[in-house]
Coordinates of all heavy atoms in Angstrom, one line a residue:
V699 N -13.5 -78.7 -16.4 CA -12.6 -79.9 -16.5 C -11.6 -79.9 -15.3 O -11.3 -81.0 -14.8 CB -11.8 -79.7 -17.9 CG1 -10.7 -80.8 -17.9 CG2 -12.8 -79.9 -19.0
I700 N -11.2 -78.7 -14.9 CA -10.3 -78.7 -13.8 C -10.9 -79.2 -12.5 O -10.3 -80.0 -11.7 CB -9.8 -77.2 -13.5 CG1 -8.9 -76.7 -14.7 CG2 -9.0 -77.1 -12.2 CD1 -8.6 -75.2 -14.6
L701 N -12.2 -78.9 -12.3 CA -13.0 -79.4 -11.1 C -13.4 -80.8 -11.2 O -13.7 -81.4 -10.1 CB -14.2 -78.5 -10.9 CG -13.9 -77.0 -10.6 CD1 -15.2 -76.2 -10.7 CD2 -13.2 -76.8 -9.3
S702 N -13.4 -81.4 -12.4 CA -13.8 -82.8 -12.5 C -12.8 -83.8 -12.0 O -11.6 -83.7 -12.3 CB -14.1 -83.1 -14.0 OG -15.2 -82.3 -14.5
R703 N -13.2 -84.8 -11.2 CA -12.3 -85.7 -10.6 C -12.4 -87.1 -11.2 O -11.6 -88.0 -10.9 CB -12.5 -85.8 -9.1 CG -12.2 -84.5 -8.4 CD -12.6 -84.6 -6.9 NE -12.3 -83.3 -6.2 CZ -11.3 -83.1 -5.4 NH1 -10.4 -84.1 -5.2 NH2 -11.1 -82.0 -4.9
G704 N -13.5 -87.4 -12.0 CA -13.7 -88.7 -12.6 C -14.0 -88.6 -14.0 O -13.8 -87.5 -14.7
P705 N -14.6 -89.6 -14.6 CA -14.9 -89.6 -16.0 C -16.2 -88.8 -16.4 O -16.4 -88.5 -17.6 CB -15.2 -91.1 -16.3 CG -15.7 -91.7 -15.0 CD -14.9 -90.9 -14.0
V706 N -16.9 -88.3 -15.4 CA -18.1 -87.5 -15.6 C -17.8 -86.1 -15.4 O -17.2 -85.7 -14.4 CB -19.3 -87.9 -14.7 CG1 -20.5 -87.1 -14.9 CG2 -19.6 -89.4 -14.9
L707 N -18.1 -85.2 -16.4 CA -17.8 -83.8 -16.3 C -18.6 -83.1 -15.1 O -19.8 -83.3 -15.1 CB -18.1 -83.1 -17.6 CG -17.8 -81.6 -17.6 CD1 -16.3 -81.4 -17.7 CD2 -18.5 -80.9 -18.8
Y708 N -17.9 -82.5 -14.3 CA -18.6 -81.8 -13.2 C -18.8 -80.3 -13.7 O -17.8 -79.6 -13.9 CB -17.8 -81.8 -11.9 CG -18.3 -80.9 -10.8 CD1 -19.5 -81.2 -10.2 CD2 -17.7 -79.7 -10.5 CE1 -20.0 -80.3 -9.2 CE2 -18.2 -78.8 -9.6 CZ -19.4 -79.1 -8.9 OH -19.9 -78.3 -8.0
V709 N -20.0 -79.9 -13.8 CA -20.4 -78.6 -14.3 C -20.9 -77.8 -13.1 O -21.9 -78.1 -12.5 CB -21.4 -78.6 -15.4 CG1 -21.7 -77.2 -15.9 CG2 -20.9 -79.5 -16.5
P710 N -20.2 -76.7 -12.7 CA -20.7 -75.9 -11.6 C -21.9 -75.0 -12.0 O -21.8 -73.8 -12.2 CB -19.5 -75.0 -11.3 CG -18.8 -74.9 -12.6 CD -19.0 -76.2 -13.3
L711 N -23.1 -75.7 -12.0 CA -24.3 -75.1 -12.5 C -24.8 -73.9 -11.6 O -25.4 -73.0 -12.1 CB -25.5 -76.1 -12.6 CG -25.3 -77.2 -13.7 CD1 -26.4 -78.2 -13.6 CD2 -25.2 -76.6 -15.1

Side-chain angles (χ1 to χ4, degrees):
V699 172
I700 294 172
L701 295 173
S702 299
R703 295 173 180 259
V706 179
L707 181 71
Y708 171 72
V709 181
L711 293 176

